[in-house]
Amino acid sequence: QAEDGIRDIGVTGVQTCALPICLLDRMYIRDDYVGLWSEIQRLVSSGLSRIVVSGNPGIGKSWFGLYIAHQLLSRKSPPVVVWEARLSGTRTLIRDGRVLDGSLDDFRTELNNTSAWYLVDEAVFPGAMRVEANTLVFSSPKRDNYRLTLKATASTIRYLPPWSWDEIEACHALLYADDPDRPLAEVRAAFERWGGIPRFVLEKLRDESAQSSLEEALATADVTALRMSVGQIDAAPDTSHRILHIVRSEEHTSELQSRQYLVCRLLLEKK
């Protein structure tokens, strides 16, 4: 145990799984990961150093953050990276091939280095600290989680879209092909219900509570509130994001798209 509660994890030659959210030895890389990372680098080069990455809950924003960390740490001269997991209240510093584990009060000196990267996962209110490091905030579309980040100068927001069936099928082949609890036919049926949300289509396919949450969302949804959500993504009720999907433009800005079958069913049930 080091001073100030900072613990040296003792990992030399940083590997992907040194990061807190890495639970598997394989990862499906979406084309959108590559495209949005390219867009983020363009934005940073243009002077925008505070970027929020949002999208429907369950589409893999945390895994996108892991992909970015891997890209940064794979550079010939890797920058300092601080990974912050807000829900667990921890920070992880990766520097010079070493990994240090600390609290939300640690590594402030590193975070005021303009060449460092500050990756904030599971963002909750009040969001990321205002620091000099390049800041990426990964958050569900709830404005309180990133309002202060977007109020700061040099800030903007971009979105990850839901997955296509081709992506779900490819990920299934890579990670779940031999899993008897995730037969492809059931995965396809879940995709028809949920759309491209892998948390429910793949990860929680057999989780009855998770699967029933779609029915709960339909039962409690307010049609007027859903209509008002169009153009106000981050003001929408939490349950609406099971029915409405955030799709992206070419530049990863956003639009709302309804799950057509679900909305038609909702309108019929509310009559």
Side-chain angles (χ1 to χ4, degrees):
Q1 185 75 27
E3 293 181 5
D4 302 322
I6 296 173
R7 180 167 59 90
D8 188 339
I9 299 175
V11 178
T12 303
V14 174
Q15 301 295 318
T16 301
C17 285
L19 290 169
I21 67 164
C22 185
L23 305 176
L24 300 173
D25 59 358
R26 289 172 293 175
M27 178 180 180
Y28 178 73
I29 308 294
R30 302 180 66 193
D31 287 345
D32 275 295
Y33 288 1
V34 179
L36 183 49
W37 174 227
S38 178
E39 168 70 358
I40 287 170
Q41 292 177 91
R42 183 190 69 80
L43 292 170
V44 170
S45 296
S46 73
L48 293 171
S49 59
R50 299 178 179 93
I51 302 167
V52 174
V53 176
S54 191
N56 282 82
I59 61 167
K61 295 179 293 295
S62 294
W63 286 101
F64 177 53
L66 177 62
Y67 168 77
I68 290 176
H70 181 270
Q71 293 298 300
L72 292 169
L73 296 170
S74 296
R75 291 177 177 176
K76 186 175 181 180
S77 298
V80 170
V81 174
V82 176
W83 179 278
E84 181 170 302
R86 292 306 303 273
L87 290 182
S88 60
T90 61
R91 280 184 183 156
T92 301
L93 170 67
I94 306 173
R95 180 186 61 193
D96 300 327
R98 304 296 297 178
V99 179
L100 298 175
D101 189 24
S103 73
L104 296 182
D105 293 320
D106 293 320
F107 314 132
R108 291 176 181 261
T109 299
E110 287 81 3
L111 288 173
N112 282 311
N113 182 339
T114 56
S115 65
W117 287 78
Y118 176 35
L119 310 182
V120 182
D121 188 32
E122 305 167 331
V124 294
F125 179 82
M129 286 178 53
R130 191 174 299 187
V131 296
E132 296 301 315
N134 297 302
T135 300
L136 300 181
V137 177
F138 305 95
S139 174
S140 296
K142 189 172 182 181
R143 195 166 185 81
D144 279 351
N145 294 352
Y146 47 80
R147 176 170 46 85
L148 296 180
T149 299
L150 292 182
K151 282 180 66 177
T153 58
S155 64
T156 189
I157 187 168
R158 291 295 185 269
Y159 293 88
L160 273 175
W163 295 36
S164 67
W165 169 247
D166 287 345
E167 290 178 307
I168 293 288
E169 188 175 31
C171 185
H172 179 272
L174 177 67
L175 299 177
Y176 302 109
D178 299 324
D179 188 341
D181 288 331
R182 292 179 176 85
L184 189 60
E186 289 188 26
V187 170
R188 178 70 200 200
F191 178 82
E192 294 299 328
R193 295 179 66 243
W194 284 98
I197 310 294
R199 175 179 295 164
F200 299 105
V201 175
L202 288 171
E203 180 188 353
K204 296 183 180 292
L205 181 65
R206 292 295 179 90
D207 185 324
E208 292 183 6
S209 176
Q211 293 300 319
S212 66
S213 67
L214 181 58
E215 299 298 326
E216 293 168 5
L218 286 167
T220 60
D222 183 318
V223 175
T224 301
L226 287 177
R227 288 172 177 157
M228 291 177 63
S229 296
V230 178
Q232 301 182 66
I233 297 168
D234 46 20
D238 288 345
T239 55
S240 71
H241 296 298
R242 298 172 199 157
I243 302 169
L244 299 175
H245 285 180
I246 301 169
V247 298
R248 65 165 179 83
S249 69
E250 195 68 27
E251 296 78 22
H252 286 87
T253 53
S254 70
E255 299 172 359
L256 270 183
Q257 183 182 70
S258 65
R259 294 285 296 139
Q260 185 176 8
Y261 161 72
L262 295 177
V263 172
C264 288
R265 178 177 150 193
L266 174 64
L267 290 172
L268 288 171
E269 290 178 350
K270 297 293 184 181
K271 282 186 177 180

